[in-house]
Amino acid sequence: MAPSDETDEEVRADGTGIVPPDDETPTWGERKTRSQGLSRLTYEYFERSRREDQDMRMESSYVERDVLGFPTWPHEMIRNLAITSFFVGMMIFLSATLPPHIGPPANPSQTPAVILPDWYLYWSFGLLKLGPLNPDLAILGGSKLMADRTYGVLANVVIVGFIAIVPFLNKGSARRPVEQPFWAAVGVFGVVFSFTIAALSVKNLIPMDPNLLFDLTFLVPPVAGFIAYAVLRTMREGYMFELNRRYYRLRPPK
Amino acid sequence: MSLERKDDHDHGGWMKSRDLSPVEKGYLTVLIWLDRRLRIVDYLELMEDLYYKANLQMPKSHTEQYNLDNKFWYWYPLYALGSFSTLAYVVAAISGALLGFYYSPSTAAAGAEGELTVAYASITFIMTELNFGYLLRSLHRWSAQVMVAAVFLHMLRVYFTGAYKEPRELNWILGIVLISLTMVFGYTGYLLPWDQLAFWAGQIGVEMSLSIPLAGEWVAQLIFGGFSLSQSTLQRMYILHVFFLPFITTALIAIHIGIVWMQGIAEPH
């Protein structure tokens, strides 16, 4: 070919030059599969991520925030295995002392005074009773856009959906409630609301005016959330001071 | 040239060169036979790894390493809730399988009285006549209650320690699916005794599914077997409770725990 080839040294195929060693040189078939479509992309991405790992290892700037997780084995599992028999024993003790009650047999012709699901569905059952909040439109002559029970089922879907997308709304590396007072307050709001809405669902059993109970159901959770927010904001000042003190000791502010 | 596969690594020759007792020889033959088919070596390595990690001095936890104990030791008992709910699930599965030997999902009239259904009568039999039957049912019911409670608290712990953040969003969503499945598990199980509570809770379920726009009637027929409660409702609840849900839930729990294992435990920083 070109004269320059003759002046150069012989092509090194042992892995020290830019040419890959003979036994690693891809065949034409391999080259073709690598240069096509999704397999090509996968290959390139894996190369990149392997490179990323390598770089991170080389830099080794290991700071506290880089700890993403602690090994499940043995730390957590040892603890969990150790308390296994305690927990199982606790369940056996409970079931031996408090056997379940058998209710009267099903009777379709007699509606019981109190209809309730199991306790863990109270919140969902309470959401079915949001009829008074179902908006009606003036255009439709005051009739409701959707039936009350459809509205209740929709409320369930909305709440579960909101919980599901929390990780995509609250980002960042804050972990503890003191570091993120707002989201901790949202959590407190949710917990308190689940209790108040459960109380609303069993309103027949609660000696209180149903209208007052309905109002309290929606008033108490925001108040609790607000208090949690205020407390955590106050705690954060002192907490951040403690956390930063070591830093200031090393490098005092001017 | 023979068609027989040759022994690449000459395991046979190696065995001949050793002076092996018959027991050792038999053991090695079986081991090599299995290993050439199943590659047990890889799994042995895993076991070895687990063994050594458990017996070595444990590395310092994040908390100890940065001397943060005083900051959040109070979160720590709550880190066992996930395993607690798994444990309750296992107990419920075992006691439920045993209960299944005695329960029959039928709304047919039991005996000559014509009042009681077969399902209700089998519950009564389990509770009053079967040896330790009351304990079995009690254990099933309590482990179910404990599982639901633990799952709820587990979710709260994950929320308040921010453990759902960046690498763990998928597992959070998987957890939402699992908590919903747990509640469906509870609901279908609640209906099985076919007493007054079960019947009217079933009625609410039918009304809820009927109120879904467009697909409501279809859903009611698929899940409850009609617009009013009948034999087919009970039978569908039973099959959901003992066949569909166990398979789906067990698989998802395995994936959930597998992801936790791969990603590690998120400790609050």
Side-chain angles (χ1 to χ4, degrees), chain A residues 31-67:
Chain A
R31 280 172 210 251
K32 192 175 176 194
T33 50
R34 276 184 199 171
S35 62
Q36 278 172 351
L38 294 180
S39 57
R40 167 76 191 176
L41 281 178
T42 313
Y43 169 77
E44 276 179 18
Y45 172 69
F46 280 163
E47 285 299 304
R48 288 181 62 84
S49 71
R50 210 171 289 155
R51 177 67 195 219
E52 197 184 332
D53 275 4
Q54 184 63 20
D55 287 350
M56 276 164 70
R57 260 183 234 114
M58 300 295 282
E59 283 174 19
S60 124
S61 59
Y62 193 78
V63 294
E64 192 175 319
R65 291 278 164 179
D66 284 349
V67 179

Side-chain angles (χ1 to χ4, degrees), chain A residues 94-203:
Chain A
L94 263 178
S95 45
T97 47
L98 298 168
H101 158 83
I102 320 181
N107 183 358
S109 59
Q110 180 207 343
T111 312
V114 179
I115 302 178
L116 281 181
D118 231 351
W119 59 268
Y120 46 80
L121 288 173
Y122 282 2
W123 62 271
S124 169
F125 195 48
L127 287 175
L128 297 179
K129 298 184 175 177
L130 294 184
L133 290 184
N134 192 355
D136 45 6
L137 290 182
I139 312 168
L140 297 176
S143 65
K144 290 180 174 177
L145 203 54
M146 60 179 105
D148 278 350
R149 53 183 194 175
T150 311
Y151 187 74
V153 173
L154 188 67
N156 274 285
V157 173
V158 166
I159 290 210
V160 174
F162 173 76
I163 297 172
I165 61 168
V166 161
F168 305 100
L169 300 178
N170 178 17
K171 291 172 173 284
S173 57
R175 294 275 190 202
R176 303 182 211 180
V178 255
E179 293 175 341
Q180 38 179 357
F182 174 73
W183 283 96
V186 170
V188 169
F189 170 86
V191 172
V192 174
F193 182 63
S194 73
F195 278 101
T196 54
I197 196 83
L200 181 68
S201 76
V202 295
K203 59 184 168 189

Side-chain angles (χ1 to χ4, degrees), chain B residues 10 39 44-45 60 76 98-99 115 121 171 194 209 259:
Chain B
D10 199 23
R39 222 47 189 147
L44 282 182
E45 269 172 19
K60 276 185 177 174
Y76 267 61
L98 293 176
L99 279 176
E115 271 281 310
N171 228 11
W194 212 242
S209 46
I259 293 178

Side-chain angles (χ1 to χ4, degrees), chain A residues 67-70 75-76 95 98 103-104 106-107 110 112 116 119-120 150 163 167 170 172 174-177 180 183, chain B residues 50 59-60 120 138-139 141-142 145 159-162 164-165 168 172 186 190 194-196 200 211 265 267 269:
Chain A
V67 179
L68 289 178
F70 221 73
H75 299 75
E76 301 290 316
S95 45
L98 298 168
N107 183 358
Q110 180 207 343
L116 281 181
W119 59 268
Y120 46 80
T150 311
I163 297 172
N170 178 17
R175 294 275 190 202
R176 303 182 211 180
Q180 38 179 357
W183 283 96
Chain B
L50 290 184
K60 276 185 177 174
Y120 188 82
S138 187
L139 200 56
R141 196 179 155 78
W142 273 112
Q145 307 272 322
Y159 181 86
F160 283 109
T161 54
Y164 54 80
K165 285 189 175 181
R168 301 187 174 80
W172 171 260
Y190 190 63
W194 212 242
D195 54 7
Q196 272 291 68
W200 292 98
S211 72
I265 309 290
E267 301 195 38
H269 288 274

Side-chain angles (χ1 to χ4, degrees), chain B residues 166-180:
Chain B
E166 176 159 308
R168 301 187 174 80
E169 300 100 327
L170 263 185
N171 228 11
W172 171 260
I173 291 172
L174 198 52
I176 303 283
V177 173
L178 274 173
I179 202 173
S180 314

Side-chain angles (χ1 to χ4, degrees), chain B residues 192-267:
Chain B
L192 294 185
W194 212 242
D195 54 7
Q196 272 291 68
L197 283 176
F199 187 86
W200 292 98
Q203 203 70 44
I204 296 172
V206 172
E207 278 168 25
M208 270 182 78
S209 46
L210 276 178
S211 72
I212 300 170
L214 302 178
E217 297 190 355
W218 186 80
V219 171
Q221 282 188 328
L222 180 70
I223 296 178
F224 293 95
F227 304 141
S228 61
L229 300 187
S230 62
Q231 167 64 35
S232 48
T233 313
L234 185 56
Q235 198 148 353
R236 278 164 202 234
M237 287 298 134
Y238 183 67
I239 292 301
L240 280 177
H241 192 76
V242 304
F243 183 76
F244 280 97
L245 289 173
F247 276 107
I248 300 170
T249 312
T250 308
L252 289 185
I253 288 177
I255 297 173
H256 193 70
I257 295 175
I259 293 178
V260 169
W261 200 287
M262 284 164 69
Q263 296 187 325
I265 309 290
E267 301 195 38

Side-chain angles (χ1 to χ4, degrees), chain B residues 122-137:
Chain B
S122 58
I123 298 288
T124 318
F125 168 75
I126 289 170
M127 291 297 285
T128 57
E129 288 172 50
L130 182 66
N131 280 341
F132 287 107
Y134 88 93
L135 185 63
L136 208 54
R137 174 153 180 255

